[in-house]
Amino acid sequence: MFARSTSECHRSRSPFKPTALAFAAATLALCSQAVNANSTESTLATVEVIGSEENLIKLPGSANIISQTDLDNSRAFTVNEVLRKVPGVTVRDEEGFGLRPNIAIRGLNPTRSTKVTLLEDGLPLSYAPYGDNASYYHPMIDRYSRIEVLKGSSALLFGPQTVGGVINYITPTPRQEFGGSLQGTLGNRDYFNGRIGLGGGGFNLDYVRKQGQGARDNTNHELDDLNLKYAFSIDERNALTLRASYYQERSQVTYAGLTQAEFERFGGQYNPFENDRFDIERIGTSATHDFSINDNATLTTSIYYFQFDRDWWRQASNSQDAQCGGAFNNARLAGQAVDVNSCNSNQGRLRYYETYGIEPRLTVAHSAGEFQAGVKAHFEDQDRRQINGSSPTARSGVVVENNLRNTQAYSAFVSNRFDINQFSITPIARYESIDVERLNQLDGSQGATQISAFTPGIGVTWNPSPTLTVFSSLHEGFAPPRVEDLIGTAGTVTEVDAEQSTNFEVGVRTQLGETWTLQSAYFRTDFSNLIAVGSIAGGGTPLSQGKALFEGLEVNANGELGMGFLGRLAYTWLPTADQTEAFRNVSNGALVGVEGNRQPYAPRHTLTAALGYQQGKLRSELEAQYVGQQFSDFANTVAPTPDGQRGEIDAVTVWNMSLNYQFDKATTGFLSAKNLFDKTYITDRTRGIIVGMPRLLQIGVRNDF
């Protein structure tokens, strides 16, 4: 199934600017031709993951759509809060604003969302989905009008992470008539959120300014998010959608968690690292062109280009980082207050990425069903540096890491749905070919390697009635290792294998009565190889790999209860999330963990349930989000360790409340409370103890014009 060859990289180069400029020029040329065309009417050229709810009847897998109404009714604050409304999805909080969400599907480790494919309007959202699929950046939930979550064999239409599933964030459809909206929100913890949206003639502009304190002391976030989208028809067979975005984050936020003694003495919000800073700038452009070949065939071609620039200066990377010395660490272990300005060190982790690609996708409807095929050429250039400063507020110093990492990935998929009376059968296959290179610019060492994978699958649906769909799918899953795991700093190739799994699910979608909908699915994910990176497994576990099995049941339902009351439920039961053999250290073969132990950060039960009430102009909702007990390391350690990095994480229920009142057709006022009862709870022990956001109370108004 998998093949790999290695060779030395014999050329020194700076791969970033020439390719970036060439790609930008091609994008501008295409856009220029489009703008000069006669625009007779506006339409939306886009890549669909699920599409409209009418598509669910033929979809051979679990699928959930979170609508604009759902987002408005709950007054969603973070994407973490929203995704917990979907069964099978777990999301772990980090800094409180949902800026670096930790998302997982069906029990996989959520750290940095490395095990999931994230898309925006059907195009890659992650800055390096092949070479470093870690989410240190995630747009605000305010940007989106809808979210799609897709699991099962249909994930092979996308990639490269095809094990857990696909999350697709959808930006608003451009308006035809001129109009827009103004929205403002204020809250405790110095919270402010201002948003303006304008549109007309197929054009949308959306700008959000959000700021406030994070989950801990000495944390503060300032965010700006600008999005432009223009959709129009060139002629009766050609349509084009252009997108551009600019995102900026200026945060005071640390990376290190608390020791156990710090947590017990000072509380979960304690954070002495007042000098740590995190800055991001991201620029994105993309274009999607629809060509209607005839009434039954459409060729959709997308091109995209992103720049991502991140600087994180910090005095500690975990609860026992040696950066500030042994005495400093001992004081933290003892729960003593520390003076970070006495630590003459501040290290900068500086990252710059360029990501670009092109992806044509063909869809052909035929008498027996529907055919789909596509290819993608995708490129990632990483420039990674570490600079060690010699003062507590340093922003310069000695360069101790200077790496260039390059990824070139080519993929293809083919799928054909055969409709036979009440049945639909969809065989599907995907192929990935990935070339990676790494150059250490400090000593000139370099290396290269290649990975390829062929992953087949099949999906089946049975529709015995218009309101009942039985679905099932079976497919091979794949996820590539990171470049830094494949090639060491000396240019040597590490014998780490790609992730490979066999994924099965069977479920049902149905309507109960006139108002209730239900979806339930049994799933089984059997890994012949699962990678656990040190920072993911917790407690300094080295890069490891091994076999694992995840198995469970997910259920979601929503509808009307009568007398103006509405209900919503999303539940996941994960009885099995086990190492089926002890993982092994990739570098020396030593055993890591114990066969039969439960995987870290895989709660057995998760539940989100909400009760709403709607009467006239009033809409209210009370929601409970429950996350069950979790282990934080492979050893399934129960008692907390002094450094806070190991120990059982208790189950927790967080309550949220929202109240919306529509004064007239144009004006809506709202109140919301997140973590209503101000619960202090541990969310993560990977780098020491991290806690969830304290209670947030917010009030706002929106006016549409």
Side-chain angles (χ1 to χ4, degrees):
M1 186 68 68
F2 297 91
R4 180 173 66 188
S5 63
T6 62
S7 63
E8 292 300 317
C9 176
H10 294 290
R11 60 187 184 277
S12 175
R13 61 197 177 104
S14 178
F16 308 115
K17 293 302 180 184
T19 51
L21 293 174
F23 189 84
T27 305
L28 290 173
L30 175 59
C31 297
S32 175
Q33 290 180 6
V35 170
N36 291 331
N38 293 324
S39 179
T40 57
E41 62 176 296
S42 185
T43 188
L44 186 64
T46 188
V47 177
E48 289 192 342
V49 173
I50 295 176
S52 65
E53 293 188 0
E54 288 76 12
N55 295 338
L56 294 176
I57 196 170
K58 300 292 186 181
L59 197 61
S62 302
N64 295 87
I65 299 173
I66 301 172
S67 68
Q68 181 72 69
T69 300
D70 297 329
L71 298 174
D72 290 342
N73 287 344
S74 62
R75 290 298 153 189
F77 177 60
T78 69
V79 69
N80 301 15
E81 173 195 338
V82 172
L83 289 176
R84 292 191 192 105
K85 304 177 194 297
V86 178
V89 179
T90 56
V91 192
R92 190 176 68 213
D93 291 325
E94 185 170 323
E95 79 302 308
F97 262 51
L99 306 177
R100 281 160 286 286
N102 299 276
I103 306 167
I105 295 178
R106 293 178 170 173
L108 300 179
N109 195 301
T111 300
R112 294 282 171 257
S113 308
T114 58
K115 309 294 186 182
V116 62
T117 291
L118 298 177
L119 306 175
E120 181 176 282
D121 291 337
L123 304 177
L125 177 65
S126 303
Y127 48 79
Y130 281 85
D132 186 14
N133 191 43
S135 293
Y136 284 89
Y137 148 83
H138 195 286
M140 296 177 275
I141 189 62
D142 312 67
R143 180 188 292 194
Y144 301 119
S145 63
R146 205 161 64 110
I147 301 175
E148 302 175 329
V149 181
L150 175 67
K151 307 160 201 156
S153 61
S154 297
L156 294 176
L157 297 174
F158 304 93
Q161 316 285 329
T162 57
V163 179
V166 179
I167 298 175
N168 185 37
Y169 303 101
I170 300 174
T171 57
T173 301
R175 304 171 62 103
Q176 293 306 303
E177 297 182 0
F178 177 78
S181 64
L182 289 170
Q183 180 173 310
T185 309
L186 296 174
N188 66 322
R189 301 188 65 79
D190 298 328
Y191 181 71
F192 168 76
N193 186 344
R195 180 180 182 182
I196 181 171
L198 292 172
F203 178 80
N204 261 14
L205 178 151
D206 194 79
Y207 171 70
V208 180
R209 167 72 177 191
K210 182 183 286 190
Q211 61 189 51
Q213 298 177 34
R216 300 168 62 190
D217 301 336
N218 292 318
T219 60
N220 187 72
H221 307 288
E222 298 180 1
L223 316 167
D224 295 282
D225 193 0
L226 173 65
N227 285 273
L228 306 173
K229 193 173 183 179
Y230 183 34
F232 58 95
S233 295
I234 300 172
D235 54 36
E236 62 180 9
R237 292 196 177 276
N238 292 274
L240 189 66
T241 299
L242 307 175
R243 308 173 194 86
S245 64
Y246 174 78
Y247 179 91
Q248 175 181 271
E249 176 183 347
R250 298 288 181 261
S251 289
Q252 178 188 18
V253 62
T254 191
Y255 197 81
L258 302 174
T259 68
Q260 190 67 32
E262 286 175 324
F263 177 70
E264 293 172 357
R265 180 177 179 183
F266 301 116
Q269 295 180 38
Y270 173 69
N271 171 37
F273 294 101
E274 61 185 35
N275 299 313
D276 292 1
R277 295 294 187 275
F278 182 89
D279 295 333
I280 281 178
E281 283 191 350
R282 182 185 186 272
I283 299 172
T285 61
S286 65
T288 300
H289 174 256
D290 272 357
F291 172 47
S292 296
I293 301 170
N294 55 43
D295 292 342
N296 298 318
T298 301
L299 178 65
T300 301
T301 303
S302 298
I303 56 175
Y304 52 88
Y305 170 75
F306 314 120
Q307 282 185 3
F308 176 77
D309 198 350
R310 187 211 91 182
D311 292 352
W312 198 339
W313 287 90
R314 55 190 191 239
Q315 290 188 274
S317 293
N318 61 63
S319 58
Q320 279 299 279
D321 191 328
Q323 183 176 342
C324 289
F328 189 95
N329 284 354
N330 290 336
R332 297 194 64 198
L333 285 173
Q336 300 172 2
V338 293
D339 178 10
V340 296
N341 291 308
S342 68
C343 170
N344 288 316
S345 175
N346 202 320
Q347 297 179 355
R349 269 71 168 182
L350 315 181
R351 310 285 188 257
Y352 177 77
Y353 294 80
E354 288 187 340
T355 305
Y356 43 98
I358 183 168
E359 182 179 26
R361 307 171 73 97
L362 175 67
T363 302
V364 180
H366 53 80
S367 59
E370 184 180 77
F371 172 83
Q372 293 188 65
V375 296
K376 179 167 63 176
H378 176 95
F379 308 94
E380 300 167 4
D381 297 320
Q382 307 178 32
D383 186 350
R384 299 167 61 94
R385 291 176 293 146
Q386 179 176 331
I387 299 176
N388 290 352
S390 58
S391 74
T393 58
R395 295 297 181 264
S396 62
V398 179
V399 178
V400 297
E401 178 192 359
N402 191 348
N403 266 270
L404 297 179
R405 303 174 187 177
N406 172 259
T407 302
Q408 300 181 35
Y410 302 92
S411 61
F413 74 87
V414 62
S415 157
N416 196 96
R417 191 186 76 236
F418 298 96
D419 298 330
I420 307 170
N421 298 322
Q422 298 173 335
F423 292 88
S424 292
I425 303 173
T426 308
I428 184 172
R430 184 176 187 87
Y431 178 76
E432 297 274 7
S433 177
I434 308 166
D435 293 280
V436 299
E437 301 174 355
R438 179 172 177 170
L439 169 64
N440 184 342
Q441 297 195 111
L442 293 180
D443 62 13
S445 60
Q446 49 193 316
T449 190
Q450 189 268 343
I451 295 174
S452 61
F454 173 77
T455 49
I458 189 168
V460 178
T461 61
W462 174 43
N463 295 281
S465 75
T467 59
L468 175 63
T469 299
V470 180
F471 59 85
S472 182
S473 72
L474 176 69
H475 79 280
E476 291 289 321
F478 165 79
R482 301 181 302 176
V483 175
E484 64 187 278
D485 297 332
L486 281 166
I487 306 172
T489 55
T492 56
V493 176
T494 305
E495 292 302 320
V496 60
D497 298 316
E499 291 187 344
Q500 183 182 11
S501 65
T502 300
N503 307 275
F504 173 76
E505 70 172 340
V506 59
V508 61
R509 277 188 292 270
T510 188
Q511 183 172 324
L512 303 175
E514 295 183 359
T515 64
W516 277 85
T517 58
L518 170 71
Q519 179 176 260
S520 181
Y522 160 80
F523 60 87
R524 178 185 172 92
T525 307
D526 190 354
F527 279 93
S528 58
N529 191 63
L530 174 63
I531 298 173
V533 182
S535 63
I536 292 177
T541 302
L543 177 65
S544 308
Q545 60 184 2
K547 297 181 180 180
L549 176 65
F550 299 83
E551 190 173 28
L553 179 72
E554 54 190 36
V555 179
N556 75 284
N558 62 81
E560 298 179 8
L561 298 169
M563 301 181 64
F565 288 96
L566 305 98
R568 172 168 52 80
L569 177 145
Y571 171 66
T572 306
W573 178 43
L574 186 69
T576 305
D578 302 337
Q579 297 184 61
T580 52
E581 69 175 22
F583 280 33
R584 291 187 177 273
N585 185 324
V586 171
S587 63
N588 60 24
L591 295 180
V592 179
V594 178
E595 180 180 338
N597 273 14
R598 193 168 180 88
Q599 291 282 310
Y601 299 103
R604 194 176 300 270
H605 302 279
T606 57
L607 170 70
T608 295
L611 178 66
Y613 178 74
Q614 186 165 2
Q615 190 68 42
K617 298 180 178 181
L618 178 68
R619 174 65 164 83
S620 61
E621 183 175 276
L622 181 66
E623 178 186 68
Q625 297 193 340
Y626 170 84
V627 179
Q629 171 269 334
Q630 306 169 64
F631 294 113
S632 60
D633 66 342
F634 279 125
N636 291 181
T637 304
V638 175
T641 55
D643 61 9
Q645 294 178 22
R646 296 179 178 87
E648 186 176 270
I649 298 176
D650 292 336
V652 64
T653 301
V654 175
W655 293 84
N656 302 317
M657 182 273 293
S658 64
L659 179 68
N660 297 275
Y661 187 82
Q662 190 163 359
F663 294 99
D664 52 43
K665 290 184 178 180
T667 307
T668 301
F670 52 87
L671 296 167
S672 70
K674 309 301 179 183
N675 191 3
L676 179 63
F677 300 110
D678 201 20
K679 179 82 170 179
T680 298
Y681 60 98
I682 297 174
T683 64
D684 184 13
R685 288 182 177 270
T686 304
R687 305 178 305 277
I689 295 171
I690 303 292
V691 298
M693 192 75 164
R695 177 170 52 217
L696 294 174
L697 302 175
Q698 298 172 358
I699 182 171
V701 63
R702 175 187 171 108
N703 181 262
D704 297 313
F705 57 87

